[in-house]
Amino acid sequence: QKEVEQNSGPLSVPEGAIASLNCTYSDRVSQSFFWYRQYSGKSPELIMSIYSNGDKEDGRFTAQLNKASQYVSLLIRDSQPSDSATYLCAASGGYQKVTFGTGTKLQVIP
Amino acid sequence: GAGVSQSPRYKVAKRGQDVALRCDPISGHVSLFWYQQALGQGPEFLTYFQNEAQLDKSGLPSDRFFAERPEGSVSTLKIQRTQQEDSAVYLCASSLEDSTEAFFGQGTRLTVV
């Protein structure tokens, strides 16, 4: 079992809809969680970090963390075609090693 | 520079050749990471430095892989006697001390033929 699990997708949503991306992790000592966006042929770009239970909002993005369920999610409101990319969930334990999931491919249909 | 810089961007190596990949982290970033990303997969951890100290090399797939950061800034990932399975994108990332928010370079795409 991989330490960070994501559905590979593709997840298709119409333009303007809410995209919901989900992630589970297995290591209970994980303390820091990240969402990266990766366009095809490009390197990952950090879009959100979350450290405590609950929601964290930044513009159209909301990250949600539930440590009891070992679950992290990313909501993208008012999805745009430019949001089409692979979204990588990542978790970090007691020190700085960051473990990535395999990513969920999001397609926003105009 | 403003971001993490990696060179070369692309490298084609013949099987058995040695290669060296360079990473120039964001100025002032103490931590430096190397990741390997195969097509359609997430980045896989290779190794981690804090300043010049290599604190974790558990992800290096074999003893053909070697990384160094002698002055705590620029890092080099060396792969000896390259094999076809080494073909991947090699990503470098850096972060501030006491922060796990890592910022990636543009990567080096290695193709072993």
Side-chain angles (χ1 to χ4, degrees):
Chain A
Q1 181 190 8
K2 286 187 71 70
E3 292 181 35
V4 178
E5 299 262 10
Q6 295 181 256
N7 187 320
S8 60
L11 172 66
S12 294
V13 299
E15 184 174 355
I18 296 175
S20 177
L21 303 161
N22 304 313
C23 169
T24 58
Y25 61 95
S26 60
D27 189 350
R28 286 195 171 272
V29 304
S30 296
Q31 298 175 355
S32 307
F33 304 88
F34 309 94
W35 284 99
Y36 284 81
R37 177 176 62 200
Q38 187 171 29
Y39 292 111
S40 181
K42 302 294 186 183
S43 60
E45 173 192 9
L46 180 66
I47 53 173
M48 289 286 285
S49 57
I50 186 165
Y51 305 98
S52 54
N53 279 328
D55 295 0
K56 179 181 177 183
E57 186 174 320
D58 184 0
R60 295 186 296 112
F61 299 98
T62 299
Q64 299 174 318
L65 173 60
N66 183 326
K67 290 187 177 181
S69 300
Q70 296 178 248
Y71 177 87
V72 192
S73 66
L74 179 70
L75 300 178
I76 306 174
R77 289 180 298 281
D78 188 24
S79 296
Q80 301 297 308
S82 59
D83 295 327
S84 298
T86 295
Y87 289 80
L88 298 163
C89 174
S92 176
Y95 77 112
Q96 298 212 3
K97 176 181 173 180
V98 178
T99 301
F100 286 83
T102 54
T104 298
K105 186 173 183 178
L106 173 66
Q107 294 176 340
V108 180
I109 312 300
Chain B
V4 179
S5 179
Q6 291 187 246
S7 61
R9 289 292 312 278
Y10 303 93
K11 176 70 179 178
V12 178
K14 291 185 177 179
R15 191 160 59 98
Q17 186 179 354
D18 296 350
V19 298
L21 313 179
R22 175 188 169 105
C23 173
D24 209 330
I26 294 172
S27 178
H29 278 197
V30 168
S31 300
L32 185 146
F33 310 82
W34 283 99
Y35 286 83
Q36 180 190 61
Q37 188 173 25
L39 192 64
Q41 300 296 313
E44 294 282 347
F45 172 81
L46 294 176
T47 187
Y48 156 60
F49 291 86
Q50 188 173 81
N51 295 307
E52 68 278 4
Q54 188 174 21
L55 299 187
D56 188 340
K57 53 181 182 180
S58 62
L60 295 176
S62 77
D63 59 7
R64 297 186 294 104
F65 287 70
F66 172 77
E68 61 182 4
R69 194 185 184 196
E71 297 178 0
S73 179
V74 171
S75 177
T76 303
L77 176 67
K78 297 179 179 178
I79 309 173
Q80 297 177 322
R81 304 181 303 282
T82 51
Q83 303 295 314
Q84 283 193 317
E85 62 263 28
D86 300 335
S87 296
V89 175
Y90 290 85
L91 295 165
C92 177
S94 69
S95 68
L96 287 167
E97 190 171 18
D98 296 332
S99 170
T100 48
E101 292 187 349
F103 298 89
F104 282 86
Q106 65 271 58
T108 294
R109 182 178 296 277
L110 173 65
T111 303
V112 181
V113 296

